[in-house]
Amino acid sequence: KDEKIIDLSPIETLPVYLKNNGFATRGAGKVFHKALNLESEFQDSEITSTDQCDCKGDSCPVFKCSVDDDSSLTDYDVLKYGLKQIGDFKKSGNKFFMALGIRKPHLPYRVPSRHTDNIASGYPNGVAIATSNERASKDSLSNYYCASIDRFANAHTTGSSTQLNSPIFSDELQRDFRSGYYAAVSWADELVGGIIAKLKEEELYD
């Protein structure tokens, strides 16, 4: 219910256990959700911040906030860190444990423009959205209230449902959110693929 740092000091986490048993341990990105400090859990780590859209205010399209430069994105920093560490693991020959916390598909959907373009071309008629009957149900996930959506998009709504005063999204807003989500998942998939490719290149993939 709050996002304060939680004291888990009596608990030996997996990276600490492995660190204490001879593993080289590395961590970057959103490995923990503010519950633990990366520096205390890993021998080496890199903390990254949340991506922010360049625009401000109620009209900020955080669900379609693409960029042309991968290096401006938080998750790209996580990828770079991981690729470097894999190279170092290969050179040292040490057994290792590495955790890379990719933030996407968390809001805002700030991703490389090639992914938003691919979704747009892949769904020329727009992505599928919830039907009118689905949205009429108070238990429908299409009406599910999300604090992040409310905070980032200011809930541009056409009405309200009976469930937690949650917004009923317009067709256009649903398509925007879902398209942004698909693009963010595509970006995350590319990042994971980059790590796997590097592990295979260094003959460390098992």
Side-chain angles (χ1 to χ4, degrees), residues 115-166:
H115 290 283
T116 54
D117 292 344
N118 286 342
I119 296 302
S121 62
Y123 296 87
N125 298 319
V127 300
I129 61 174
T131 66
S132 297
N133 287 338
E134 288 173 331
R135 275 178 277 172
S137 169
K138 67 180 181 65
D139 296 320
S140 171
L141 287 176
S142 65
N143 289 334
Y144 186 70
Y145 176 80
C146 174
S148 291
I149 292 174
D150 187 52
R151 176 163 55 94
F152 281 112
N154 295 287
H156 304 289
T157 65
T158 58
S160 60
S161 76
T162 56
Q163 179 181 341
L164 297 177
N165 295 317
S166 63

